[in-house]
């Protein structure tokens, strides 16, 4: 846990002074901060450290100022698929074109110069300096010469790296390697480095996944001291601890998860009372009981921020002894939990909310598949789980009431299909499976959302420093662009100032009837801001919720563990002055950190799936698929197959000439005047699947013969 030091506070004071004044000399800073002039060297060292970290800058006259006053902004760089990037500050983000990355890599702390005029659309900048590198290693393919070599990066670094002969480290030509950069280069001189690890064949997807982990600085393995600490945690629960808690072991409480889930961190129980009200208990693994603040396990979990669910493995936030063992709510075992008990009336309103420490023994480890079968009255499942059939029926009843409340207030239901890659024992793709949400998935989603909202509202009104799950209203520029695109389908958004999620909800519902819901869903989703963690309760736009947090998954999300700790303070009274001060100082930094680890996890999960999907499609070259047009740019038409595989047609390779009309959002064949629109259905042929670029190229089946002819000369 990082607590603000005296120097941190003095830096904040200096930045506040500089914000309101001209540049200051070292002597003026010494006086302003009340330092002793006798320690001039020490004072200068402190100020120069602040300069090195980019907190302040020094001008040519040796005076100090904040970057903002000199036209610069400090932030963290995020590279998006090596095509463009963003630099995020605490308050806003700046778009960075690919040509303006400099030597920055994803995760680096950088200084940017804002290049777009104020008020002229999206804020844009260029990276002028890298202040802090997240890592100094790069993954690439080695090109070996006789006396030297180069590594051609496969990631977001635009320049080849020169490798002197004595730093080859036995790497072979064409091999995927890890390079430690020793010199980052200048405008005139290439970067230099040394090979520190050989990964192997760059077209082997196992090596590609390994490279992905190395690139992002992640590992399945835990440090020895963290594992040692995990193994010291007692497996059995003492009677003394049980006596301190509310005993729920007599209730037929159940977990409902995916077939292959091993970290079971939430269990549910529902009862319909005689007065028509419902009692909902959501019991969550009490990870905070086992993981003391500041322990080695805690620091490692904070660093990871969350578990990462890749295509072929899980990188857990905690060692498996905890995530799959001690804390997992495995069936028929006594487990310590943190519960929220909500009394809900027949209209779906929460009448009473209680939070308490508890002990449970789950009656069954249920799967979504089996609960859906029970709901569908499958005789075998109904007989097997006869003791909970009535409760599942009540759960469905309550879930539909909660769902109606969410719908009426405008909560957006992004019901996008999920593609699951099914691997064989050799980690090769057997097939792609589309996962649709059934009633059991919706039940758990409804109950978890209600639990999270209840906890967030409780902590908000207690006025305790807390962690919120924040989803802000969309940027006006994005709303304008979305409105222009949606207008092609007959939909119109008005002013972004009075935009309500209910408007999106109604468009999505209408689009289902027209058979274009997938495209509309994705366009709306891409226009929204990304949810994040923060200390200020700004509400959740997508859920149309005034209070929201994450409480229900402390095994796999550090945010939830933090909420458990804050709740633990709340159920024992108001925080002491020391506890309050610690939370105020600590939470802003940790919420920023876990927001970043979440974004990184999403990127890694998506890329690991893409690697396997492209590998799978290599064997499908020449095969025909049914697809839908989902997007355009100046040179390409983007498709999604019925199996939800993303691919594109490069129209510059066709015989005819095509122009993209961005005002009407259509691609037009200028030779025949034929237009291609969003949502058009077409048969396509797979012509290329590229593992290095992670892209799949197609052509429309109807144009197959044209590709054997010669391209027409352009007419002017």
């Amino acid at each position: 846990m990082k607590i603000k030091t005296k120097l941190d506070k003095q830096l904040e004071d200096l930045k506040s002074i500089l914000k309101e004044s001209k540049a200051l000399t070292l002597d003026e800073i010494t006086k302003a901060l009340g330092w002793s002039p006798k320690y001039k060297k020490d004072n200068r060292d402190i100020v120069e450290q602040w300069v090195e970290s980019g907190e302040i800058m020094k001008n040519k006259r040796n005076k100090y100022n904040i970057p903002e006053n000199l036209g610069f902004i400090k932030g963290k760089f995020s590279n998006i698929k090596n095509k463009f990037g963003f630099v995020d500050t605490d308050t806003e983000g700046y778009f960075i074109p690919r040509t303006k990355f400099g030597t920055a890599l994803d995760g680096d702390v950088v200084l940017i110069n804002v290049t777009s005029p104020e008020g002229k659309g999206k804020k844009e900048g260029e990276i002028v300096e890298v202040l802090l590198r997240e890592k100094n290693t790069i993954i690439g393919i080695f090109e070996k010469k006789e006396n030297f070599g180069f590594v051609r990066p496969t990631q977001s670094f635009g320049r080849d790296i020169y490798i002197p002969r004595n730093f080859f480290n036995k790497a072979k030509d064409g091999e995927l390697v890890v390079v430690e950069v020793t010199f980052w280069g200048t405008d005139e001189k290439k970067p230099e480095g040394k090979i520190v690890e050989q990964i192997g064949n760059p077209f082997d997807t196992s090596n590609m996944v390994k490279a992905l982990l190395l690139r992002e600085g992640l590992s399945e393995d835990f440090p020895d001291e963290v594992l040692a600490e995990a193994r010291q945690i007692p497996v059995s629960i003492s009677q003394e601890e049980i006596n301190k808690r509310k005993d729920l072991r007599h209730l037929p409480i159940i977990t409902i998860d995916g077939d292959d889930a091993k970290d079971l961190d939430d269990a549910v129980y529902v009862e319909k009372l005689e007065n028509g009200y419902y009692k909902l208990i959501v019991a969550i693994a009490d990870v905070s009981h086992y993981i003391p603040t500041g322990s080695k396990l805690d620091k490692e979990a904070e660093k990871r921020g969350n578990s990462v669910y890749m295509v072929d493995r899980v990188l857990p936030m905690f060692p498996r002894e905890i995530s799959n063992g001690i804390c997992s709510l495995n069936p028929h075992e006594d487990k310590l939990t943190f519960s929220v008990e909500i009394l809900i009336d027949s209209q779906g309103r929460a009448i009473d909310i209680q939070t308490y420490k508890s002990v449970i023994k789950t009656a069954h480890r249920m799967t979504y598949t089996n609960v859906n079968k029970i709901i569908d009255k499958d005789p075998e499942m109904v007989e097997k789980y006869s003791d909970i059939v009535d409760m599942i029926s009540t759960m469905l009843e309550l879930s539909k009431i909660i769902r109606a409340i969410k719908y009426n207030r405008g909560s957006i239901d992004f019901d996008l299909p999920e593609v699951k890659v099914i691997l064989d024992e050799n980690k090769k793709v057997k097939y792609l499976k589309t996962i649709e949400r059934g009633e059991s998935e919706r039940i758990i989603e409804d109950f978890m959302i209600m639990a999270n909202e209840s906890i967030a509202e409780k902590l908000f009104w207690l006025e305790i420093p807390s962690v919120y799950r924040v989803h802000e209203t969309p940027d006006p520029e994005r709303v304008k662009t979305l409105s222009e695109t949606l207008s092609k389908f007959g939909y119109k958004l008005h002013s972004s100032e009075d935009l309500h999620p209910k408007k999106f909800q109604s468009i999505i519902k209408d689009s289902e009837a027209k058979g274009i819901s997938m495209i509309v869903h994705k366009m709306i989703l891409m226009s929204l801001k990304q949810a994040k963690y923060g200390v200020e309760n700004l509400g959740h736009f997508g859920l149309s919720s005034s209070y929201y947090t994450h409480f229900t998954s402390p095994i796999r999300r550090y945010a939830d563990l933090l909420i458990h700790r804050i709740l633990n303070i709340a159920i024992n009274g108001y925080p002491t002055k020391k506890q309050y001060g610690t939370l105020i100082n600590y939470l802003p930094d940790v919420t920023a950190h876990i927001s970043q680890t979440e974004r990184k996890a999403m990127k890694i999960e998506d890329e690991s799936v893409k690697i396997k999907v492209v590998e799978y499609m290599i064997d499908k070259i020449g095969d025909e698929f049914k697809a839908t047009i989902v997007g355009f740019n100046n040179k390409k038409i983007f498709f999604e197959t019925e199996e939800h595989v993303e691919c594109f047609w490069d129209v510059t390779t066709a015989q005819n000439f095509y122009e993209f009309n961005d005002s009407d959002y259509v691609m037009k064949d200028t030779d025949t005047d034929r237009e291609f629109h969003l949502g058009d259905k077409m048969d396509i042929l797979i012509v290329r699947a590229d593992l290095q670029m992670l892209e799949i190229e197609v052509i429309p089946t109807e144009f197959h013969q044209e590709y054997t002819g010669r391209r027409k000369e352009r007419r002017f």
Side-chain angles (χ1 to χ4, degrees):
M1 180 182 290
K2 183 187 172 187
I3 307 298
K4 286 185 180 175
T5 64
K6 185 177 178 182
L7 275 180
D8 291 331
K9 290 171 182 171
Q10 287 178 334
L11 173 59
E12 286 180 4
D13 291 342
L14 175 59
K15 288 165 78 173
S16 296
I17 294 166
L18 289 170
K19 191 173 184 180
E20 305 299 330
S21 69
K22 59 183 182 179
L24 300 178
T25 64
L26 177 63
D27 290 341
E28 288 168 333
I29 290 173
T30 300
K31 184 177 180 182
L33 296 180
W35 290 346
S36 170
K38 290 192 295 185
Y39 302 106
K40 189 165 185 174
K41 183 181 180 303
D42 293 338
N43 296 341
R44 186 183 301 281
D45 288 345
I46 292 169
V47 173
E48 288 299 327
Q49 283 175 18
W50 290 340
V51 170
E52 194 175 324
S53 65
E55 298 291 346
I56 60 175
M57 296 182 75
K58 186 162 61 172
N59 64 23
K60 293 176 182 177
R61 297 190 298 166
N62 277 332
K63 288 191 172 185
Y64 299 91
N65 211 329
I66 53 174
E68 292 83 350
N69 286 351
L70 299 173
F72 298 98
I73 289 170
K74 176 185 174 182
K76 193 154 192 173
F77 176 57
S78 298
N79 184 298
I80 312 299
K81 297 182 180 178
N82 202 23
K83 294 179 180 177
F84 57 89
F86 289 96
V87 168
D88 294 316
T89 69
D90 291 338
T91 56
E92 52 196 335
Y94 294 84
F95 178 81
I96 311 295
R98 178 67 187 87
T99 55
K100 306 295 183 183
F101 286 5
T103 65
L105 294 172
D106 190 67
D108 288 350
V109 178
V110 298
L111 270 185
I112 64 167
N113 183 27
V114 179
T115 54
S116 62
E118 199 67 31
K120 299 284 185 181
K122 64 186 175 187
K123 294 179 178 177
E124 193 169 304
E126 61 178 339
I127 295 171
V128 294
E129 186 179 347
V130 177
L131 298 170
L132 180 66
R133 296 201 178 270
E134 187 178 55
K135 50 188 173 288
N136 67 340
T137 55
I138 288 176
I139 311 292
I141 296 172
F142 182 45
E143 295 180 4
K144 187 176 180 181
K145 310 294 181 186
E146 189 174 344
N147 295 313
F148 62 91
F150 288 100
V151 168
R152 178 165 47 85
T154 56
Q155 64 192 92
S156 51
F157 187 69
R159 307 174 71 188
D160 292 346
I161 303 161
Y162 175 78
I163 310 294
R165 181 179 175 82
N166 55 330
F167 291 133
F168 285 4
N169 197 19
K170 299 181 181 177
K172 301 179 182 68
D173 185 50
E175 201 168 29
L176 196 61
V177 297
V178 182
V179 178
E180 182 183 310
V181 180
T182 54
F183 169 65
W184 289 95
T186 64
D187 290 341
E188 297 80 28
K189 203 170 180 185
K190 278 187 179 290
E192 293 185 18
K194 57 184 179 182
I195 294 170
V196 293
E197 186 173 347
Q198 298 160 256
I199 300 173
N201 180 357
F203 298 101
D204 182 317
T205 56
S206 296
N207 290 337
M208 292 178 72
V209 172
K210 180 181 178 182
L212 174 59
L213 292 178
L214 288 168
R215 187 188 84 196
E216 299 298 336
L218 297 182
S219 174
E220 292 178 82
D221 302 322
F222 287 85
D224 290 343
E225 62 270 21
V226 172
L227 291 173
E229 199 171 82
R231 288 164 187 150
Q232 289 169 5
I233 296 174
V235 176
S236 59
I237 303 170
S238 70
Q239 188 59 47
E240 182 185 2
E241 183 58 40
I242 289 174
N243 293 341
K244 295 176 186 176
R245 295 170 176 259
K246 188 165 184 175
D247 196 337
L248 304 178
R249 289 177 293 177
H250 61 289
L251 298 177
I253 197 163
I254 59 173
T255 58
I256 308 177
D257 293 274
D259 292 359
D260 53 359
K262 294 181 175 63
D263 49 353
L264 316 178
D265 50 12
D266 56 86
V268 290
Y269 167 82
V270 171
E271 177 184 346
K272 191 168 185 178
L273 307 178
E274 290 182 4
N275 62 0
Y277 286 10
Y278 298 86
K279 181 199 288 185
L280 167 64
I281 297 176
V282 177
I284 307 299
D286 189 5
V287 180
S288 63
H289 172 79
Y290 295 101
I291 312 296
T293 301
S295 64
K296 290 179 174 62
L297 279 163
D298 180 49
K299 288 177 180 176
E300 181 68 19
E302 180 190 57
K303 176 185 167 188
R304 292 178 178 233
N306 40 255
S307 297
V308 183
Y309 294 84
M310 300 178 69
V311 69
D312 62 345
R313 71 197 76 184
V314 177
L315 311 183
M317 189 172 79
F318 288 110
R320 286 176 174 80
E321 289 90 340
I322 293 168
S323 61
N324 297 358
I326 296 166
C327 290
S328 185
L329 305 182
N330 301 324
H332 316 303
E333 297 177 11
D334 289 351
K335 293 290 178 176
L336 300 181
T337 49
F338 211 138
S339 294
V340 54
E341 183 176 317
I342 310 170
L343 186 63
I344 303 166
D345 69 13
S346 58
Q347 304 303 308
R349 293 171 299 207
I351 303 301
D352 183 54
I353 300 167
Q354 297 178 43
T355 53
Y356 49 79
K357 295 289 187 101
S358 50
V359 57
I360 68 168
K361 181 185 283 189
T362 55
H364 298 286
R365 187 272 197 243
M366 299 301 296
T367 65
Y368 293 126
T369 303
N370 287 345
V371 173
N372 284 331
K373 286 180 179 178
I374 290 170
I375 290 170
D376 292 337
K377 296 184 168 49
D378 177 277
E380 183 185 345
M381 287 298 120
V382 168
E383 183 180 352
K384 183 175 181 180
Y385 298 108
S386 59
D387 58 320
I388 58 167
V389 167
D390 288 344
M391 183 173 73
I392 286 174
S393 177
T394 306
M395 284 181 173
L396 180 60
E397 189 179 301
L398 175 59
S399 172
K400 288 183 175 179
I401 293 170
I402 294 170
R403 211 176 304 163
I405 288 273
K406 288 195 301 174
Y407 181 82
N408 289 334
R409 76 186 185 204
S411 177
I412 307 171
D413 184 11
F414 288 108
D415 196 10
L416 289 170
E418 179 188 347
V419 178
K420 186 174 177 66
V421 179
I422 307 300
L423 303 177
D424 62 20
E425 60 277 5
N426 298 315
K427 294 193 174 182
K428 294 292 183 183
V429 182
K430 287 171 69 176
Y431 58 92
L432 304 180
K433 179 181 178 182
T434 302
I435 300 174
E436 305 282 355
R437 279 192 304 166
E439 286 293 356
S440 65
E441 289 90 344
R442 292 175 185 275
I443 286 169
I444 291 301
E445 181 180 301
D446 291 333
F447 290 175
M448 295 306 119
I449 287 174
M450 189 155 203
N452 287 331
E453 288 177 331
S454 300
I455 295 297
E457 185 171 3
K458 180 185 181 80
L459 289 171
F460 177 80
W461 289 111
L462 284 172
E463 298 185 344
I464 293 175
S466 190
V467 174
Y468 294 96
R469 182 65 171 172
V470 174
H471 189 222
E472 298 173 83
T473 54
D475 288 325
E477 280 297 318
R478 286 195 176 190
V479 173
K480 182 182 175 185
T481 303
L482 175 65
S483 182
E484 290 169 355
T485 309
L486 287 175
S487 67
K488 313 299 185 292
F489 297 95
Y491 302 118
K492 188 71 178 173
L493 296 172
H494 299 291
S495 166
S496 61
E497 290 158 12
D498 57 357
L499 186 66
H500 193 276
K502 196 156 193 161
K503 179 63 178 175
F504 289 142
Q505 182 200 79
S506 63
I507 290 172
I508 288 170
K509 187 165 183 63
D510 186 75
S511 70
E512 290 171 359
K514 295 180 180 178
I516 54 171
S517 61
M518 181 184 70
I519 298 169
V520 171
H521 261 82
K522 286 195 171 183
M523 286 193 297
I524 291 175
L525 190 60
M526 288 172 67
S527 73
L528 299 179
K529 289 187 176 179
Q530 192 166 358
K532 62 183 180 181
Y533 297 105
V535 294
E536 191 177 352
N537 179 38
L538 301 175
H540 196 292
F541 179 83
L543 291 172
S544 192
S545 182
S546 300
Y547 313 93
Y548 202 66
T549 191
H550 275 166
F551 159 77
T552 53
S553 296
I555 289 177
R556 62 185 179 90
R557 291 189 305 226
Y558 197 72
D560 305 55
L561 178 56
L562 289 171
I563 285 294
H564 281 225
R565 287 173 175 162
I566 294 165
L567 267 178
N568 198 42
I569 294 171
I571 62 175
N572 291 312
Y574 198 74
T576 64
K577 187 175 179 181
K578 183 179 179 183
Q579 287 172 326
Y580 191 95
T582 298
L583 290 173
I584 284 288
N585 284 332
Y586 170 60
L587 292 180
D589 288 339
V590 75
T591 51
H593 167 69
I594 58 180
S595 295
Q596 288 161 4
T597 60
E598 179 187 48
R599 285 197 289 271
K600 179 186 280 191
M602 289 169 65
K603 182 171 75 172
I604 292 167
E605 289 165 4
D606 288 347
E607 192 170 329
S608 75
V609 169
K610 188 82 172 180
I611 288 169
K612 285 296 182 182
V613 168
V614 173
E615 179 189 41
Y616 177 68
M617 296 304 283
I618 288 173
D619 292 334
K620 303 292 181 286
I621 290 173
D623 289 359
E624 186 176 87
F625 290 82
K626 294 189 179 301
T628 303
I629 295 178
V630 295
F632 305 98
N633 68 17
N634 288 331
K635 296 179 180 179
K636 295 175 183 176
I637 297 179
F638 297 94
F639 294 92
E640 186 168 307
T641 71
E642 288 184 332
E643 295 76 18
H644 306 291
V645 173
E646 296 173 354
C647 45
F648 70 89
W649 173 33
D650 184 347
V651 296
T652 66
T653 64
Q655 280 196 349
N656 290 358
F657 291 95
Y658 292 80
E659 285 182 358
F660 174 52
N661 183 331
D662 58 357
S663 60
D664 293 331
Y665 213 68
V666 297
M667 185 72 78
K668 185 175 182 179
D669 180 337
T670 58
D671 291 298
T672 65
D673 288 335
R674 178 178 174 181
E675 291 181 345
F676 296 84
H677 302 84
L678 278 175
D680 285 355
K681 310 285 185 185
M682 299 187 73
D683 291 333
I684 58 170
L685 288 171
I686 308 297
V687 296
R688 183 173 66 90
D690 190 325
L691 278 169
Q692 287 301 302
M693 300 298 292
L694 288 183
E695 60 187 23
I696 299 161
E697 188 173 354
V698 303
I699 58 171
T701 303
E702 63 183 284
F703 299 146
H704 181 229
Q705 296 303 321
E706 294 183 16
Y707 276 79
T708 62
R710 186 178 173 186
R711 183 178 165 87
K712 295 176 182 178
E713 296 296 327
R714 183 173 290 278
R715 297 184 296 276
F716 292 96

